[in-house]
Amino acid sequence: MHCHSPEHLSRRALLKGTLLSAAGGVVMNWGGLTTQRAFAEEVARQGKHCIYLFMNGGVSQFETFDMKPGRPTGGLFRPRSTNVAGTQICELMPKMAQKMDKIAVIRSMRTSEVDHPGGIYLMHTGYRPAATVRFPEIGAIVAKYQGKAGADLPSFIKVSSVGDAGAGFLGPKYLPFSVGSEGGLPPFSTSSLDPQVEQRRHELRSFVEDRFAAEHRVDVAKMHREAYEAARRLQGVKEVFRIDEEWEKYRDLYGDSQFGRRCLLARKLVEQGVAFIEVGQSSYDSHADNFAWHKGLVPPMEHAWAGLLTDLEQRGLLEKTLIIWAGEIGRTPSINNRAGRDHYVRSWSTALAGCGIKGGMLYGESDEDGEDVKDKPVTEGDFFATIYHALGIDPTAENFAGVRPVPLAPFGSKVVTELFG
C-alpha cells in the first residue's frame, strides 16, 4: 500500500483501520484511521516548544562541560565552580556556571557519524544518512505534532543554522522557514505590489485554483496553494522578526553578539507560538588553534544561552520549552601539532533544559582522559527519544516512507528517564 497523503499513518493506526470481512477481504475502518491525527492534536494541545542551539562544526566537550584538568588531554583552560555543589565547568562559561541548576548535561554521548555531513544529518534526524529514505529533521517532526495548522507564523524556523534534511518524507508542508544571521526575512516574504493590487491577484488566483482543484486531484497544486497561503499569512506578522527596539532593553541579558540577537528572536518566536526554532553558531571545527577559537566563540554563546534561560523562566515559558544544546560531533582528547582537536564521537557532551528536565544533573561519565564512555552511554537514538519524550511525543510513533514504517527514534532507542524530575 502506498500512502499518498502527507499525513502519514502509523502502522498501528493502519492495523486499527482495517477490518476483515466475512469473505476474508480487507475493508477500511475509517474510525480507526483518525488515531494518528487525534494523537497529533492531543500533543499539540500541550503547547510545548523547542529551541535547538546548534553548535556547527563540533564544539569541544573539553572546553565546555567535560574538563580533564591535570591530564594530558586537559588543554589550557581551568575549571570553575558552579551553583551546583561539586560540579565544575570551563572557566569560559561564567554565566552558565550560575545556571547549572537549570540544565542537565549528558557527558556520555556515543554516536555513529564522525564527519560533518553525516554528523549534521544524524544530529538533526536521529538517523544515519540512507540511500533509500529521506528522514525528516526533528524540527519537521515537532512541527507536525506540535505545530498549529493555519498559523500566521511557520511552525519550524531556522535562524542562521545548517542541516539540509528538511522535511524528508513528511513532505513540503513541514519544511523549515529559514532567516538570515541577523534574523532578516528572505526577499520572497515581502510583496512589492500595492495591497489592493495584490488582493485582486489573490482573488483571481484563488478562483483559477478552485476551478482546477474541482477537476483535478494533484498534490503539487495543493502544495503550491498551501505555500502561497502561508506566505500571505506571514505578511501580517513580519514585525515579530524585527528586534532592534527590544534589543536595546535585552542586550545586557543576552550579550552584545549576533548569537545573542538570535536567541532573543527565538524567545519572541516561542511567545508567538512557534513550535520549533533552531539557532546556529558556527566555526567550531577547530583542527588548528582550538583554544583560540573556543576563547572567541564560547563566551558570547554561553552569555546568550544563560540569558535565554533567564528570559524564558521569568516569562513562565521554560517549563513548556525544551532547550537542546549540541553540535554534530565532539573533539578529540588528543591535541594535535597545530594546537587543534579533531573529530571525535566515542565520548562527547550535549545538554538539555526545560520541559521537565531535571536541572543540576550530570548524566553519564567519560574516563579519566575523555577517550571513552565510562558509564551510561547515550546513542543518537536515545538522545532523540529523550527529546521527543520531553515534548510529549511518543518516540515509537511511526510515519510512512512509501510503504516503510519509520519510528520517530530508531528501533531500540531508549528514553533516558533519569533526566526527568
Side-chain angles (χ1 to χ4, degrees):
M1 174 181 177
H2 184 75
C3 182
H4 293 282
S5 170
E7 295 294 332
H8 301 277
L9 303 169
S10 75
R11 180 163 52 189
R12 295 177 184 86
L14 182 64
L15 292 174
K16 291 177 181 178
T18 60
L19 296 171
L20 285 176
S21 70
V26 177
V27 297
M28 299 311 296
N29 172 10
W30 294 110
L33 288 178
T34 63
T35 304
Q36 181 78 350
R37 284 194 184 88
F39 170 63
E41 290 169 1
E42 175 62 28
V43 171
R45 278 195 290 272
Q46 299 176 27
K48 293 185 177 181
H49 312 270
C50 184
I51 299 174
Y52 194 170
L53 304 179
F54 192 76
M55 307 291 103
N56 184 37
V59 62
S60 171
Q61 65 274 25
F62 299 100
E63 279 66 61
T64 50
F65 291 112
D66 196 11
M67 303 198 73
K68 302 296 179 182
R71 300 300 302 171
T73 59
L76 300 183
F77 303 118
R78 295 174 297 179
R80 68 179 303 137
S81 297
T82 71
N83 65 352
V84 176
T87 297
Q88 293 183 320
I89 61 176
C90 183
E91 64 178 319
L92 296 177
M93 306 179 74
K95 301 285 186 182
M96 285 304 299
Q98 299 308 308
K99 291 293 180 182
M100 282 298 292
D101 61 326
K102 304 300 180 188
I103 73 171
V105 177
I106 301 172
R107 287 176 164 174
S108 54
M109 291 294 297
R110 179 182 288 167
T111 53
S112 55
E113 288 288 336
V114 74
D115 288 325
H116 298 295
I120 290 170
Y121 191 94
L122 185 79
M123 293 304 291
H124 280 82
T125 67
Y127 285 88
R128 301 182 72 177
T132 56
V133 181
R134 293 173 54 246
F135 296 102
E137 292 186 30
I138 182 176
I141 295 289
V142 175
K144 175 177 179 178
Y145 289 101
Q146 290 282 11
K148 297 177 181 178
D152 292 339
L153 285 165
S155 294
F156 177 14
I157 296 178
K158 285 190 170 189
V159 186
S160 187
S161 198
V162 297
D164 58 1
F169 55 68
L170 292 185
K173 182 177 180 180
Y174 302 106
L175 281 169
F177 179 78
S178 297
V179 299
S181 60
E182 295 284 345
L185 292 171
F188 70 80
S189 64
T190 302
S191 174
S192 60
L193 297 174
D194 178 272
Q196 292 182 340
V197 174
E198 201 281 330
Q199 180 62 29
R200 289 197 299 270
R201 287 193 177 188
H202 170 63
E203 292 170 355
L204 176 60
R205 184 183 296 106
S206 297
F207 172 77
V208 173
E209 288 184 338
D210 286 342
R211 293 291 298 271
F212 183 83
E215 299 176 8
H216 305 83
R217 297 181 63 84
V218 181
D219 286 343
V220 174
K222 179 184 177 184
M223 294 172 187
H224 174 269
R225 184 165 189 170
E226 289 175 347
Y228 181 77
E229 291 292 343
R232 292 195 81 245
R233 291 195 300 270
L234 188 63
Q235 302 303 304
V237 290
K238 291 189 296 183
E239 288 298 320
V240 174
F241 295 91
R242 298 190 176 109
I243 65 169
D244 285 344
E245 291 185 11
E246 202 166 351
W247 181 241
E248 294 301 317
K249 179 180 179 182
Y250 290 97
R251 178 190 287 118
D252 290 342
L253 178 63
Y254 283 88
D256 193 5
S257 67
Q258 283 194 345
F259 190 71
R261 290 176 65 92
R262 295 169 202 161
C263 287
L264 173 59
L265 176 58
R267 186 269 289 165
K268 289 189 66 177
L269 293 172
V270 165
E271 281 189 309
Q272 295 297 317
V274 176
F276 189 96
I277 308 103
E278 181 174 329
V279 180
Q281 188 193 34
S282 293
S283 300
Y284 281 104
D285 193 22
S286 50
H287 293 280
D289 301 319
N290 172 78
F291 307 104
W293 278 108
H294 279 76
K295 189 174 182 179
L297 289 166
V298 171
M301 177 275 293
E302 70 97 30
H303 192 154
W305 185 6
L308 179 62
L309 286 165
T310 298
D311 208 358
L312 289 171
E313 185 177 26
Q314 290 177 348
R315 294 167 185 271
L317 295 170
L318 187 56
E319 62 184 19
K320 286 198 171 184
T321 304
L322 179 69
I323 299 179
I324 308 167
W325 179 88
E328 69 267 33
I329 51 176
R331 312 305 304 185
T332 53
S334 59
I335 301 165
N336 65 32
N337 59 6
R338 296 181 293 165
R341 296 190 191 267
D342 301 314
H343 303 179
Y344 204 69
V345 295
R346 285 194 60 80
S347 179
W348 56 291
S349 301
T350 57
L352 300 170
C355 268
I357 294 295
K358 187 188 301 181
M361 185 176 189
L362 299 177
Y363 183 84
E365 184 182 358
S366 61
D367 61 26
E368 63 179 356
D369 285 323
E371 293 176 343
D372 210 342
V373 172
K374 181 179 178 181
D375 188 34
K376 300 178 180 178
V378 176
T379 68
E380 61 266 19
D382 300 336
F383 187 62
F384 276 76
T386 303
I387 290 168
Y388 289 129
H389 179 77
L391 293 170
I393 303 171
D394 181 1
T396 67
E398 294 170 343
N399 292 286
F400 270 80
V403 297
R404 173 182 172 180
V406 180
L408 301 189
F411 290 110
S413 301
K414 298 177 181 178
V415 175
V416 184
T417 55
E418 296 95 322
L419 292 177
F420 295 90

